Amino acid sequence: MMRRDRLFLAATLTAIFSADLYFILLPKLRSMGQGSGHFCSCGPNNLTLPRHGGLATPQLSNWTSLPPLYDTTSEPIDGGSKLGRLFAHPLYNIQIPALGPEERLLHAEQLMEYYRRKVSRWERHMKLYSEAAAVSNITVTEHKVTFDPDASWLKFHLGISRYALYSRDDLAVPQLLKEMQSMTVIGADYTQDEKALKGACDCTQVVKPSGHHLKLALKMQNFAKAMFKPMRQQRDEETPEDFFYFVDFQRHNAEIAAFHLDRILDFRRVPPVAGRLVNVTGEILQVTHNEDLRAVFFTSPANNTCFFAKCLYVCKTEYAVCGNPNLLEGSLSAYLPGLSIAPRISIPNPWIRSYTFTGREEWEVNPFFCDTIKQLYPYNSGNRLLNIIDMSIFDFLIGNMDRHHYEIFTKFGDEGFLLHLDNARGFGKHSQDEMSILAPLSQCCMIKRSTLLRLQLLTRPEYRLSDVMKESLEGDPLQPILTEPHLLALDRRLQKVLRVVQRCVRRLGEDEVITKDFIKSTVKPQTATDMGKVR
Amino acid sequence: MMRRDRLFLAATLTAIFSADLYFILLPKLRSMGQGSGHFCSCGPNNLTLPRHGGLATPQLSNWTSLPPLYDTTSEPIDGGSKLGRLFAHPLYNIQIPALGPEERLLHAEQLMEYYRRKVSRWERHMKLYSEAAAVSNITVTEHKVTFDPDASWLKFHLGISRYALYSRDDLAVPQLLKEMQSMTVIGADYTQDEKALKGACDCTQVVKPSGHHLKLALKMQNFAKAMFKPMRQQRDEETPEDFFYFVDFQRHNAEIAAFHLDRILDFRRVPPVAGRLVNVTGEILQVTHNEDLRAVFFTSPANNTCFFAKCLYVCKTEYAVCGNPNLLEGSLSAYLPGLSIAPRISIPNPWIRSYTFTGREEWEVNPFFCDTIKQLYPYNSGNRLLNIIDMSIFDFLIGNMDRHHYEIFTKFGDEGFLLHLDNARGFGKHSQDEMSILAPLSQCCMIKRSTLLRLQLLTRPEYRLSDVMKESLEGDPLQPILTEPHLLALDRRLQKVLRVVQRCVRRLGEDEVITKDFIKSTVKPQTATDMGKVR
């Protein structure tokens, strides 16, 4: 009996050893052998990155002038930071001309006056509210509000120009991210969008069912305002394949990742977004003055504090989000300047989708759709169409199918940049590359040279998009923001974008496809109401 | 260089080998050593299974008379079938007296007449409908309807007695299960409940939000009717801990498993339920004559056929269920005889829960609640309270917190058995044993002797509940119906039930707690309207 056991032991050990040798050790040795070889560049070969001289009048600024977003990336540039190296690259250091007052969104005095008015109105309101609350036996936490002329949100607002939401070396952005992550919240309320619905969501419309919208406006101690979107989905959950894009969840991590990607692409058209663990009791329930909002809070069977959407048609708790027991992950997006001092216009995307089960829009069936669009104001001159194509590349990379409108600041007219707001429906499926999002690029066969160069740069191993994204996202307190498959999808999609450009170049030639930036508009604008509604 | 590689190789192999030895081989050898030992019985020691003579007048019928539910369990009883052995046990072969006509729910002639009327009404309707459909260009699949006096559903209905929904040796039950699994579906419609709502679900009520209710009534070729509940959740998904029981999903597999458990407990108060892969296009969309139902069908982005709840307030697709591309798992529960020939009464459960966020019912705060209930008709005599306790044990085992009402057949009055309908909210969390479901048992400290004996039997290794459940469920086409953790939870919960009984016996003595079955009622019934609403 003993001998059989020994034989069995010996046989088992041999088998385990062989399996280890075959499945673990040999592959390891093989990969070690490969590691000592040279990197193989995988970019498309006939679209090589030109020297800097190939750019439309690039003026190279100081290579090291760009501050890191977070302290974690502040290693020396020759150290391990790919992100630092990327931002130090000449392509990311093209100087724009000094800004005249008309090229800035706001004047400092105007904004300060606005801020002062807001603070004094808040103080009046607080006084009245505290008295009323005492009578109705409601306990509200009262935080002191500070008037801080050096607040980072003020600097962010003052830094908005006709070229971008912030400049590359704007120190206010990392400061604002930090403040959104930690500053005391003094107020919470529904957003204006939510209030406009008045809980009477129209269910005959399938567009934007607001049941999933639980976004709130949070006010910080120094009057910074941020939009809070709570976590609705785990990082590793994928959108079910049967979901239409318009009923998909909004993902807080997509909102965060989109800001970082937009910065890495050097668009700077997404307002700063930071992750934060919000205490739903202390930082929402106890600081809101809105009775409707207070009324949607409840304690779950697991003793967690939860709240649900205001929208009355949803039967409440199945839509709820819950803290653990009070802390809830979410994204905080910095508010843009109020519409009263910086009006924006919301314009339907020409490549809008049909928000119905069966409908199809013209661009989906007409391959020459872009020829029509190119004839139409404001797409018939200037950078507008190129900006739309930039936006489609951005949306393709994040997998966002929900870009029904875009916004611009009215002050800058048609030459202003497009705002890439509301990116929470990106990063839903890492395994699917929705090519239809690229329709503006593939149908118009145009791309800005500066965009293309940066995309090509990001395919290089030393600046690989997934690597710089990962590094950039590591600074967020809610890291990891994206799972590995989502990061790798970015590299794969980037290749697909370049392949579309390559096909266009092969068909039409480089001069037709790759367009110089900063083209001046030659057509007079029509009235704003032709284009969309002023917000 | 070569030598270093070799050294590395040798070191790695040694490390892998040691790890294997420690983590894989040694534990294996250890478990082999343990396997050769004896089973350790874990049942409570002071509540031993008495001899059969301990039962209230048990009359043992033929041990082998019980037919298996499915062919797969038809091995010889001395073979591997624990389920066969269980059903052959004397406890499962207590004969009830021969049934008089008043103890049967229906007369054969009455049911046949009802069936004949239904068939001819259907044929008239089909003729008119086909003409109308041809005019409006609707294609409806027309299946021939058969009038079959030997149909299993007729036998099932005729077999319902004042003691149970079916007798232990009723061959109609396995036949009915088989037919529900495969018979041609000739019609599909909303259930009466759903129709009563008329899509106008009241969202100010949190009770039973119907958005999750997608149940449909399917009609088979031989006029058998079954309620279809589609799969909403994967087998391995657990109900989120923050969900209230009243917003939990309905689970098709819980519906199936509950039928099997009820049969294993020998209650026979759940109508037969079978799993089926339903073709949502061919077996619902193309056979329904209900325009509303047809209107909720759509094709998903992944090209699957889907449908959503009728309830208008839900914004449709996020509640949808989808086939793949047409096939969808679901449970089919056999319909009980129509209310016109076999009226039922729906009675609020005395241990009903508060269907609000914060409310608490009296039983939750008053430990002497049962003393009050015991004074009240119909719980003050007969078996009613014992039946409620049976039901609470059943609900505790499946983890169902949603038993707000129960139903009885009016014909049998207060001595009739309780129907355990609607069990789809069971089996939500395998890791939680919700002791409050057992309140009727723990507060009243009473249990039927026959119930207790069977529960004790099911703790024995040779009849272990999880094993017989697993075996019973293996016959269903959608197997596996329950994941292993859910099966094991049954054993754990069974022990907890017995521990509650044990504590009662220790406190009050066996005579007070363990009650003889078949007590005759001594109190005259009041009017039915005092008790609940007649359905």
Side-chain angles (χ1 to χ4, degrees):
Chain A
M1 194 57 196
M2 198 53 203
R3 294 192 88 145
R4 277 187 66 187
D5 271 355
R6 275 193 177 180
L7 189 69
F8 175 68
L9 181 68
T12 311
L13 291 181
T14 313
I16 291 171
F17 181 78
S18 317
D20 277 337
L21 189 70
Y22 190 79
F23 291 109
I24 300 170
L25 201 70
L26 280 184
K28 267 199 188 151
L29 287 174
R30 248 185 244 129
S31 73
M32 277 167 68
Q34 284 170 352
S36 61
H38 294 287
F39 275 113
C40 128
S41 148
C42 304
N45 290 329
N46 58 347
L47 274 175
T48 52
L49 188 72
R51 280 156 217 269
H52 315 131
L55 257 177
T57 53
Q59 292 176 281
L60 305 184
S61 72
N62 184 359
W63 277 42
T64 52
S65 68
L66 192 80
L69 258 189
Y70 305 103
D71 289 345
T72 51
T73 61
S74 64
E75 305 148 56
I77 282 158
D78 50 3
S81 169
K82 283 193 179 183
L83 188 65
R85 277 203 299 271
L86 177 76
F87 286 151
H89 190 276
L91 265 177
Y92 285 73
N93 288 280
I94 304 166
Q95 267 185 349
I96 53 163
L99 296 172
E102 274 318 291
E103 294 183 301
R104 295 184 175 278
L105 183 65
L106 298 171
H107 298 290
E109 306 76 47
Q110 177 196 21
L111 184 60
M112 280 304 173
E113 178 51 35
Y114 175 85
Y115 184 15
R116 228 174 263 120
R117 265 205 324 271
K118 284 267 174 190
V119 171
S120 57
R121 196 186 302 159
W122 173 263
E123 281 172 341
R124 275 201 310 279
H125 164 83
M126 272 311 282
K127 212 176 144 212
L128 289 170
Y129 187 83
S130 304
E131 287 165 15
V135 173
S136 3
N137 231 351
I138 295 168
T139 42
V140 182
T141 315
E142 276 183 58
H143 293 288
K144 260 207 104 53
V145 40
T146 55
F147 178 86
D148 174 13
D150 284 326
S152 61
W153 69 270
L154 285 173
K155 289 184 191 152
F156 162 56
H157 285 185
L158 287 174
I160 301 174
S161 76
R162 61 171 295 175
Y163 300 107
L165 277 176
Y166 50 92
S167 66
R168 293 186 196 96
D169 51 3
D170 192 346
L171 286 166
V173 171
Q175 198 192 331
L176 178 55
L177 290 176
K178 219 172 149 187
E179 286 181 8
M180 287 198 293
Q181 287 159 20
S182 58
M183 192 169 268
T184 305
V185 178
I186 61 162
D189 204 350
Y190 287 116
T191 61
Q192 287 304 322
D193 286 6
E194 215 77 11
K195 285 180 180 173
L197 287 171
K198 289 184 185 160
C201 328
D202 179 3
C203 272
T204 58
Q205 294 273 324
V206 279
V207 186
K208 287 206 202 184
S210 301
H212 285 167
H213 292 201
L214 281 166
K215 56 188 186 191
L216 296 173
L218 302 188
K219 199 191 286 292
M220 310 288 162
Q221 193 144 37
N222 68 358
F223 258 66
K225 255 179 102 179
M227 189 185 290
F228 172 66
K229 291 189 177 176
M231 181 168 94
R232 306 296 314 263
Q233 203 174 308
Q234 296 298 319
R235 303 282 197 281
D236 56 355
E237 282 178 88
E238 274 210 278
T239 299
E241 57 166 6
D242 289 317
F243 265 38
F244 282 91
Y245 41 90
F246 46 80
V247 295
D248 191 11
F249 275 128
Q250 303 229 10
R251 279 168 289 277
H252 74 306
N253 60 328
E255 204 71 89
I256 300 168
F259 160 68
H260 287 260
L261 179 65
D262 169 84
R263 189 170 192 256
I264 283 168
L265 294 174
D266 204 36
F267 290 156
R268 291 170 278 127
R269 297 162 200 168
V270 175
V273 185
R276 175 165 177 161
L277 268 176
V278 170
N279 183 323
V280 293
T281 305
E283 295 176 327
I284 301 176
L285 178 62
Q286 289 173 357
V287 295
T288 185
H289 298 171
N290 186 324
E291 284 314 302
D292 289 342
L293 178 54
R294 210 193 309 279
V296 296
F297 273 77
F298 66 95
T299 304
S300 85
N303 262 326
N304 296 321
T305 306
C306 309
F307 65 102
F308 48 81
K310 189 190 177 190
C311 204
L312 273 179
Y313 73 87
V314 292
C315 270
K316 303 176 177 176
T317 56
E318 60 265 54
Y319 281 101
V321 289
C322 298
N324 181 21
N326 289 299
L327 293 180
L328 175 61
E329 274 195 23
S331 62
L332 286 181
S333 311
Y335 261 59
L336 292 174
L339 295 172
S340 61
I341 54 169
R344 304 192 297 271
I345 184 169
S346 174
I347 302 164
N349 184 347
W351 280 265
I352 196 170
R353 287 172 193 273
S354 159
Y355 281 70
T356 61
F357 295 147
T358 50
R360 290 190 146 249
E361 294 294 324
E362 197 193 330
W363 65 268
E364 294 178 84
V365 289
N366 175 8
F368 306 108
F369 178 72
C370 188
D371 295 339
T372 318
I373 292 296
K374 275 178 179 166
Q375 308 299 318
L376 293 176
Y377 178 83
Y379 305 105
N380 53 353
S381 82
N383 272 327
R384 182 66 72 88
L385 191 53
L386 288 165
N387 285 339
I388 293 275
I389 289 165
D390 274 357
M391 185 168 69
S392 78
I393 292 169
F394 175 70
D395 282 334
F396 174 72
L397 290 173
I398 68 173
N400 175 27
M401 298 171 76
D402 195 33
R403 187 75 63 194
H404 41 85
H405 286 71
Y406 61 90
E407 295 194 16
I408 55 172
F409 288 110
T410 47
K411 173 164 184 178
F412 303 131
D414 289 326
E415 281 311 295
F417 62 94
L418 312 187
L419 286 158
H420 298 173
L421 305 176
D422 237 336
N423 304 303
R425 284 196 171 133
F427 297 103
K429 297 180 192 171
H430 56 72
S431 49
Q432 191 186 323
D433 302 334
E434 182 56 49
M435 294 306 291
S436 66
I437 305 174
L438 271 185
L441 172 65
S442 56
Q443 295 184 346
C444 302
C445 268
M446 287 163 65
I447 186 168
K448 289 185 194 173
R449 176 178 290 273
S450 61
T451 301
L452 177 63
L453 292 177
R454 282 191 300 268
L455 294 179
Q456 288 173 327
L457 192 68
L458 291 164
T459 63
R460 289 193 177 179
E462 60 271 38
Y463 304 107
R464 186 177 285 122
L465 179 54
S466 59
D467 292 338
V468 290
M469 267 298 276
K470 191 173 178 177
E471 190 184 332
S472 188
L473 293 171
E474 269 165 10
D476 194 275
L478 300 184
Q479 65 141 323
I481 300 300
L482 292 180
T483 59
E484 202 63 21
H486 279 293
L487 287 168
L488 296 178
L490 288 172
D491 292 332
R492 187 182 67 228
R493 290 173 188 158
L494 183 54
Q495 292 292 348
K496 291 191 178 176
V497 174
L498 292 177
R499 242 173 276 149
V500 170
V501 176
Q502 201 176 335
R503 268 199 299 276
C504 287
V505 168
R506 224 182 280 137
R507 193 153 60 88
L508 303 169
E510 211 172 297
D511 289 348
E512 275 291 299
V513 175
I514 302 165
T515 315
K516 286 194 184 116
D517 297 34
F518 303 112
I519 303 167
K520 286 266 173 240
S521 173
T522 53
V523 179
K524 280 272 159 218
Q526 297 173 341
T527 54
T529 43
D530 288 353
M531 296 153 53
K533 60 180 167 59
V534 177
R535 293 190 55 179
Chain B
M1 193 59 194
M2 197 54 200
R3 293 192 89 144
R4 274 189 68 188
D5 272 356
R6 273 195 179 176
L7 189 69
F8 175 69
L9 180 67
T12 312
L13 290 181
T14 312
I16 291 170
F17 179 80
S18 317
D20 278 338
L21 188 71
Y22 190 79
F23 290 110
I24 300 171
L25 200 72
L26 280 183
K28 266 198 188 153
L29 287 173
R30 247 185 245 128
S31 74
M32 277 165 69
Q34 284 170 350
S36 60
H38 294 286
F39 273 115
C40 130
S41 147
C42 306
N45 290 328
N46 59 346
L47 274 175
T48 52
L49 188 71
R51 281 154 216 270
H52 314 128
L55 257 177
T57 54
Q59 293 177 282
L60 306 184
S61 72
N62 184 359
W63 276 41
T64 54
S65 67
L66 192 83
L69 260 188
Y70 307 103
D71 288 346
T72 51
T73 61
S74 65
E75 305 149 52
I77 281 159
D78 49 6
S81 169
K82 282 193 181 183
L83 189 65
R85 276 204 298 272
L86 178 76
F87 285 151
H89 190 277
L91 267 178
Y92 284 73
N93 287 279
I94 304 165
Q95 266 183 352
I96 52 161
L99 295 172
E102 273 318 291
E103 295 183 302
R104 294 182 177 281
L105 183 66
L106 298 170
H107 297 290
E109 307 76 47
Q110 177 196 18
L111 184 60
M112 280 303 174
E113 179 50 34
Y114 175 85
Y115 185 14
R116 227 173 263 121
R117 265 202 327 269
K118 284 268 174 189
V119 172
S120 57
R121 196 188 301 160
W122 174 262
E123 280 170 342
R124 275 200 310 279
H125 164 84
M126 272 311 282
K127 213 174 141 214
L128 290 170
Y129 187 82
S130 305
E131 288 166 15
V135 173
S136 4
N137 232 350
I138 294 169
T139 42
V140 180
T141 315
E142 276 184 55
H143 292 289
K144 261 209 102 53
V145 40
T146 55
F147 178 86
D148 175 11
D150 284 325
S152 61
W153 69 270
L154 284 173
K155 288 184 191 152
F156 162 57
H157 285 184
L158 287 174
I160 301 174
S161 76
R162 60 171 296 175
Y163 300 108
L165 277 176
Y166 50 92
S167 66
R168 293 186 196 96
D169 52 2
D170 192 347
L171 286 166
V173 171
Q175 200 191 328
L176 179 55
L177 290 176
K178 219 171 148 187
E179 286 181 7
M180 287 197 294
Q181 286 158 20
S182 57
M183 190 167 270
T184 306
V185 178
I186 62 162
D189 203 350
Y190 287 115
T191 61
Q192 286 304 322
D193 287 4
E194 214 77 14
K195 285 180 180 173
L197 287 172
K198 288 184 185 160
C201 326
D202 179 4
C203 272
T204 58
Q205 294 273 322
V206 280
V207 186
K208 285 206 201 183
S210 300
H212 285 166
H213 291 200
L214 282 165
K215 57 188 186 188
L216 296 173
L218 301 187
K219 200 193 285 291
M220 309 287 162
Q221 192 144 36
N222 68 359
F223 258 65
K225 256 179 102 178
M227 188 185 291
F228 172 67
K229 290 189 179 175
M231 181 169 93
R232 304 297 313 266
Q233 202 174 308
Q234 297 297 321
R235 304 281 198 281
D236 56 356
E237 282 178 87
E238 275 210 277
T239 299
E241 58 165 7
D242 288 318
F243 265 39
F244 282 90
Y245 42 90
F246 46 81
V247 295
D248 192 10
F249 275 128
Q250 303 230 9
R251 280 167 289 275
H252 73 305
N253 61 327
E255 204 72 88
I256 300 169
F259 160 68
H260 286 259
L261 178 66
D262 169 86
R263 191 170 190 256
I264 283 168
L265 294 174
D266 204 36
F267 291 156
R268 290 169 278 126
R269 297 161 201 169
V270 176
V273 185
R276 176 167 176 159
L277 268 176
V278 170
N279 183 323
V280 292
T281 306
E283 295 176 327
I284 301 177
L285 178 61
Q286 289 172 356
V287 296
T288 185
H289 298 172
N290 186 324
E291 285 313 303
D292 288 344
L293 178 54
R294 210 193 309 279
V296 295
F297 273 77
F298 66 96
T299 304
S300 85
N303 262 325
N304 296 321
T305 306
C306 309
F307 65 102
F308 48 82
K310 189 190 177 191
C311 204
L312 274 180
Y313 74 86
V314 292
C315 271
K316 301 175 178 175
T317 56
E318 61 264 54
Y319 281 102
V321 289
C322 298
N324 180 22
N326 289 297
L327 292 180
L328 175 62
E329 275 194 23
S331 62
L332 287 180
S333 311
Y335 260 60
L336 292 173
L339 294 172
S340 62
I341 55 169
R344 303 193 296 272
I345 186 170
S346 173
I347 302 164
N349 184 348
W351 278 265
I352 197 171
R353 286 172 195 274
S354 159
Y355 280 70
T356 61
F357 294 147
T358 50
R360 291 193 145 244
E361 294 293 324
E362 197 193 331
W363 65 268
E364 295 177 84
V365 287
N366 174 7
F368 306 108
F369 178 72
C370 188
D371 295 338
T372 318
I373 292 295
K374 275 179 179 167
Q375 308 298 320
L376 293 176
Y377 178 81
Y379 305 104
N380 54 352
S381 81
N383 273 325
R384 182 64 73 85
L385 191 52
L386 289 166
N387 285 339
I388 293 275
I389 290 165
D390 275 357
M391 185 167 71
S392 77
I393 292 168
F394 176 71
D395 282 333
F396 175 72
L397 289 174
I398 67 174
N400 175 26
M401 296 172 78
D402 195 33
R403 187 76 62 193
H404 41 85
H405 286 73
Y406 61 90
E407 294 193 17
I408 55 171
F409 287 112
T410 46
K411 174 164 182 176
F412 303 131
D414 289 325
E415 282 312 294
F417 63 93
L418 312 187
L419 287 157
H420 299 174
L421 305 175
D422 238 335
N423 304 304
R425 286 197 170 134
F427 298 104
K429 297 180 192 168
H430 57 71
S431 48
Q432 191 187 324
D433 303 334
E434 182 55 50
M435 294 307 291
S436 66
I437 306 175
L438 270 186
L441 172 66
S442 55
Q443 295 184 344
C444 301
C445 268
M446 286 165 64
I447 187 170
K448 288 185 194 175
R449 177 177 290 274
S450 61
T451 301
L452 178 62
L453 291 177
R454 282 191 300 270
L455 294 180
Q456 288 174 326
L457 191 68
L458 291 164
T459 63
R460 288 193 178 181
E462 61 270 38
Y463 303 107
R464 185 178 285 123
L465 179 54
S466 59
D467 291 339
V468 291
M469 266 298 276
K470 190 173 181 175
E471 190 183 332
S472 188
L473 293 171
E474 269 164 10
D476 194 275
L478 300 184
Q479 65 139 324
I481 299 300
L482 292 181
T483 59
E484 203 64 20
H486 278 294
L487 287 168
L488 296 178
L490 289 172
D491 292 332
R492 188 183 64 228
R493 290 173 189 159
L494 184 53
Q495 292 292 349
K496 290 193 179 175
V497 174
L498 292 177
R499 241 172 277 149
V500 170
V501 176
Q502 201 177 332
R503 268 200 298 276
C504 286
V505 168
R506 224 182 282 138
R507 193 154 60 90
L508 303 167
E510 211 172 298
D511 289 350
E512 275 290 299
V513 175
I514 303 164
T515 315
K516 285 193 185 119
D517 298 35
F518 303 113
I519 302 165
K520 286 265 174 244
S521 172
T522 52
V523 179
K524 279 274 160 220
Q526 298 174 338
T527 54
T529 43
D530 288 352
M531 294 154 52
K533 62 180 166 64
V534 177
R535 295 189 54 177

